[in-house]
Amino acid sequence: MERTVAILHVSLELDVDFEGFTRALERLLGRFDEGLLAGLATAPARVEERLGKAAGEEGLMLFAVRDHGLLQGMHGSRRQARQYVVGNPLVATEMTRHDIRAGLYAPLRLLVYAPRDGVTAVEYDQPSSLFGQFDNAAVTAVARSLDAKVANLVAKARSEAGTTDKA
């Protein structure tokens, strides 16, 4: 079966330095490490506690950073561009216990890049539109909370980096 799914894509331009924004973003995120899952089969409550403590201010963790700008060096000059893989296993399991297909989009991805000096762009697909395609009210409710978490994360990083938003 195939079907077309409408996704709401968020694209922001912020009057802030790329390095300042990404430093703030990374500081606000907790860190995911596979070691946090140790003992899952025998002590799931302890794992849940560790995961909860590892989350950042918006309840999100950094899973990976991919430096897409570095790869641009193969085709000329390097750019400032990083893909952030962010999420929280506890939030993901709130959705996947209702519909395992939600695992396709957890964790989330954000692309942060500098389109020009002094401006940082942030791009991501709105979580509720990604997860909403599964037509499951419980999954969509959690995804809407992720909409707010991601928006708040970006706003806090922007604020920490000392910026004002561009339309």
Side-chain angles (χ1 to χ4, degrees), residues 57-132:
E57 286 186 33
E58 288 301 319
L60 297 173
M61 297 179 207
L62 180 62
F63 283 73
V65 179
R66 296 185 179 103
D67 192 340
H68 283 277
L70 179 64
L71 294 172
Q72 291 296 306
M74 292 188 300
H75 303 288
S77 62
R78 185 175 175 193
R79 295 186 60 190
Q80 292 178 306
R82 295 181 191 144
Q83 180 194 67
Y84 289 89
V85 181
V86 301
N88 184 322
L90 298 175
V91 175
T93 59
E94 284 183 52
M95 291 185 287
T96 56
R97 70 186 175 118
H98 296 291
D99 193 325
I100 195 64
R101 297 175 299 167
L104 179 62
Y105 299 108
L108 303 168
R109 279 143 186 78
L110 286 78
L111 181 66
V112 179
Y113 63 97
R116 57 193 173 282
D117 286 344
V119 175
T120 297
V122 180
E123 308 246 351
Y124 62 93
D125 294 329
Q126 189 174 48
S128 61
S129 70
L130 290 171
F131 296 105

Side-chain angles (χ1 to χ4, degrees), residues 19-36:
E19 290 300 333
F21 180 83
T22 55
R23 265 193 311 275
L25 183 72
E26 291 174 23
R27 190 198 67 70
L28 291 164
L29 290 164
R31 298 294 183 271
F32 177 78
D33 180 278
E34 291 289 334
L36 292 169

